[in-house]
Amino acid sequence: MTDPTPYTVGVADDIAHRLEHLAELVSQAPPHEAAQALARVLDCDTGALGRMTALLATGSHLTREHAEAGTIRPEVYLALGRAANNLSDVALDLDEHTDDLAQLAQAPTTTAHGPVPKPTASAMVIRRRR
């Protein structure tokens, strides 16, 4: 007996499972390894976040045709488009920080002069965009 799940749905389920597994691995990984994984995920061009943005944009275009034909409510198309735009904005905001993650991923533990000094803590500054 064959599995009735369409291939595309199976791929979506597999990606969701793998992302859950990745989150678990990142939470247990050493800092340099976790930073390296996050930098790859956040890469706007080749990372999961950029690809997810492209997927939502594709979904928005698909649902536009259905909304125009009257087979789905226009709010579905608008919500997908808004989600794609918002995720794109988030990806661009995070893209500014992938170099910092890459630096953390490559951080040496020793130098020719001995161990690398621990970084000094600084006050957290939170910026909000509106």
Side-chain angles (χ1 to χ4, degrees):
M1 185 170 164
T2 60
D3 182 5
T5 305
Y7 180 71
T8 47
V9 174
V11 170
D13 288 344
D14 184 50
I15 290 168
H17 176 73
R18 287 176 182 258
L19 285 171
E20 180 182 9
H21 186 167
L22 179 60
E24 184 179 314
L25 291 173
V26 166
S27 73
Q28 298 171 7
H32 71 281
E33 193 175 308
Q36 187 176 19
L38 287 173
R40 287 188 182 195
V41 166
L42 297 177
D43 186 286
C44 281
D45 298 321
T46 61
L49 186 59
R51 305 272 169 101
M52 179 58 73
T53 303
L55 177 62
L56 288 177
T58 300
S60 176
H61 290 292
L62 173 73
T63 56
R64 178 181 180 182
E65 294 172 12
H66 288 284
E68 288 173 346
T71 56
I72 62 168
R73 294 179 309 140
E75 291 83 4
V76 176
Y77 153 67
L78 294 172
L80 272 171
R82 200 169 34 256
N85 288 337
N86 289 342
L87 195 54
S88 178
D89 290 343
V90 168
L92 291 173
D93 286 346
L94 290 170
D95 192 50
E96 296 176 27
H97 307 291
T98 54
D99 289 343
D100 294 327
L101 287 170
Q103 183 180 0
L104 178 59
Q106 302 300 320
T109 56
T110 61
T111 66
H113 304 290
V116 173
K118 291 186 178 186
T120 317
S122 64
M124 295 291 293
V125 176
I126 299 174
R127 295 182 295 179
R128 291 188 181 188
R129 290 191 180 179
R130 296 197 186 246

